Amino acid sequence: ASYHGGDGMEGVIDPNNDTLYYGFMQNGTTLFVSNSSGQPGGTNGYSSPTSGNWITPLSINKDSEIYAGYSSLYNFNEGNWTEVSPSFGTNIDVLELDPINSDIIYVGLNSTLQKSIDHGLTFSNLGNFYNNITSIEVNNSDNNILYVTTRGNDGNVYRSTNQGTSFTNITGSLPNVVKNIIKHQFDTPDNVLY
């Protein structure tokens, strides 16, 4: 279903109410909210608190809390934006909400990975990668496991088994191209990654 105009950017569906769809326009300028599963009618648009990246990160956690990454982390609730974190001084490129523990949030800022354990109020720097971060994925079954991909002709795939304290390069024989995104398939014995 197409429930808003403009370029299609990040979109999420409420995990506890599949009639609620959320979708951004470019730069996160407007958040469109559909209460009719994206069908015509039932869509409202809400102006952004500021300007984000061309593709502004948007995510929703298991508790139906919606977050967006501008130069700060923002929460969206009933039509209102609330700034959660202090400013990072640059726009957030990648946002990942832990699927098991809603207090844990990861953000990618260029090549830097940061983590919050207090629902986004404060962040600690976990370090830098050789290239800019393109995606962050928490394992759906074990939130100690974290994956990060990077851009560049020699973009890589990394895995942490300690919530980002240290990483191992697991790129293996993947081709030497940008690694745009990684996803962990829920509830698979072999922990399938795409």
Side-chain angles (χ1 to χ4, degrees), residues 144-166:
N144 289 304
I145 302 173
L146 178 70
Y147 308 97
V148 171
T149 59
T150 59
R151 72 176 66 245
N153 289 338
D154 54 351
N156 289 312
V157 181
Y158 300 92
R159 179 180 62 214
S160 171
T161 56
N162 50 23
Q163 292 190 353
T165 301
S166 62

Side-chain angles (χ1 to χ4, degrees), residues 25-55:
M25 284 186 73
Q26 62 270 27
N27 299 109
T29 55
T30 304
L31 179 66
F32 291 95
V33 181
S34 168
N35 61 14
S36 60
S37 300
Q39 299 305 310
T43 298
N44 292 308
Y46 299 92
S47 295
S48 68
T50 184
S51 182
N53 287 346
W54 178 252
I55 300 176

Side-chain angles (χ1 to χ4, degrees), residues 44-117:
N44 292 308
Y46 299 92
S47 295
S48 68
T50 184
S51 182
N53 287 346
W54 178 252
I55 300 176
T56 299
L58 178 70
S59 194
I60 190 166
N61 67 17
K62 66 182 179 68
D63 303 317
S64 301
E65 296 172 319
I66 302 149
Y67 289 92
Y70 294 94
S71 61
S72 300
L73 183 67
Y74 281 81
N75 172 255
F76 180 81
N77 187 20
E78 297 184 7
N80 297 306
W81 290 102
T82 302
E83 189 174 13
V84 177
S85 74
S87 174
F88 291 100
T90 186
N91 281 338
I92 295 169
D93 298 307
V94 182
L95 169 63
E96 172 71 359
L97 307 179
D98 188 306
I100 297 168
N101 182 345
S102 295
D103 285 332
I104 300 175
I105 299 172
Y106 297 92
V107 297
L109 305 151
N110 296 314
S111 63
T112 302
L113 179 65
Q114 295 205 18
K115 175 185 176 183
S116 173
I117 58 171

